[in-house]
């Protein structure tokens, strides 16, 4: 939290980046001449005072004055209650030199995946809701296809940690979409104007942010569809693979003791294990690029039959 000159939530990323500089001892490599504070940036108009307290300390446990950056990644510093000037590697002046307002929380929506229960998206042409049910994300209205849980979680996680690009001083030019975030202790609404970038208005304040995260949400939710053709653990779930083309059938079986593959039938055939491993791993996470409707007269040229250790079969027609 920021306690002065105002009370507000601090930007966690900036504070952590600053404190990481003190995770281990910092050596002062050179003692410099005194009396040249202007050149070192340690005069009253340019210097930055850094002090760190613990909850139990009466006085700061770290206290120094920060000046300009020097050569080789070091910075001019002067310890409190000392006239000596040193060079030290403390992350550079840029980690400390922010206006007051920029120490405020710079995360746009600022929620965790655990906090969010529901996200409503409304535009002129569509309206849908992502909601959590029994720790799985669902879509309302039901689109008739399966939602990709990993992709949905990644999108929502990026949304919750999306940082402010910059303050947008003008009024919102239009409203292309409205996002409503709902959770037990979360209630937030954002209005979006979409162009090359996205302007977001939250509680009357407007920000310009990256379009890559927000823009897909303002369109049909097809991008969240689960496109996995097959999904299994090739080491622990798969028993055999059969290639069927007309009368020809080749069956491979995995040796569970070492994970190697052998030809089950026909006898006497050699295989390239490297190619087999590549094929199995590719099939285990295969995804479709798109979904198409083939004509009724379409016939596969060959089939791949995957038999699992559970006894279930998956048939891939190609």
């Amino acid at each position: 939290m920021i306690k002065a000159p105002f009370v507000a939530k601090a930007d966690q990323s900036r504070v952590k980046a600053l404190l990481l500089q003190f995770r281990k001892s910092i050596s002062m490599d050179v003692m410099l001449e005194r009396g040249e504070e202007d050149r070192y940036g340690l005069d009253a108009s340019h210097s930055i005072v850094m002090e760190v307290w613990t909850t139990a300390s009466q006085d700061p446990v770290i206290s120094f004055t920060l000046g300009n950056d020097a050569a080789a990644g070091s910075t001019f510093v002067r310890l409190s209650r000392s006239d000596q000037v040193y060079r030290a590697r403390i992350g550079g002046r840029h980690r400390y030199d922010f206006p007051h307002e920029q120490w405020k929380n710079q995360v746009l929506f600022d929620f965790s995946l655990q906090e969010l229960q529901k996200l409503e998206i409304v535009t002129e042409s569509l309206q849908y809701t992502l909601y959590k049910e029994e720790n799985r994300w669902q879509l309302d209205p039901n689109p008739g296809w399966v939602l990709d849980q990993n992709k949905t979680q990644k999108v929502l996680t990026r949304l919750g940690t999306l940082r402010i690009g910059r303050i947008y001083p003008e009024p919102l030019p239009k409203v292309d979409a409205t996002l409503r975030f709902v959770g037990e202790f979360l209630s937030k609404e954002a209005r979006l104007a979409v162009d090359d970038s996205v302007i977001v208005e939250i509680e009357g304040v407007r920000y310009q942010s990256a379009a890559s995260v927000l823009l897909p949400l303002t369109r049909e939710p097809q991008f969240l569809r689960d496109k996995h053709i097959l999904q299994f653990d090739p080491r622990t779930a798969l028993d055999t693979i059969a290639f069927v083309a007309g009368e020809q059938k080749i069956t491979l079986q995995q040796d569970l003791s070492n994970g190697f593959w052998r030809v089950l039938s026909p006898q006497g055939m050699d295989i390239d294990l490297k190619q087999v491993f590549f094929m199995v791993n590719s099939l285990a996470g295969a995804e479709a690029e798109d979904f198409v409707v083939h004509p009724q007269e379409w016939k596969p040229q060959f089939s791949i039959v995957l038999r699992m250790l559970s006894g279930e079969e998956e048939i891939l027609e190609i």
Side-chain angles (χ1 to χ4, degrees), residues 105-108 162-167 207-209:
N105 183 26
Q106 299 294 303
V107 180
L108 194 57
L162 183 64
R163 294 181 68 80
I164 295 168
R166 66 179 182 90
I167 299 291
Y207 311 93
Q208 192 167 23
S209 191

Side-chain angles (χ1 to χ4, degrees), residues 289-309:
E289 289 189 5
D290 202 356
F291 295 87
V292 297
V293 178
H294 60 73
Q296 285 187 332
E297 63 272 13
W298 180 85
K299 292 182 180 180
Q301 295 182 10
F302 64 94
S303 301
I304 301 175
V305 182
L306 298 98
R307 184 176 180 83
M308 305 299 168
L309 290 169

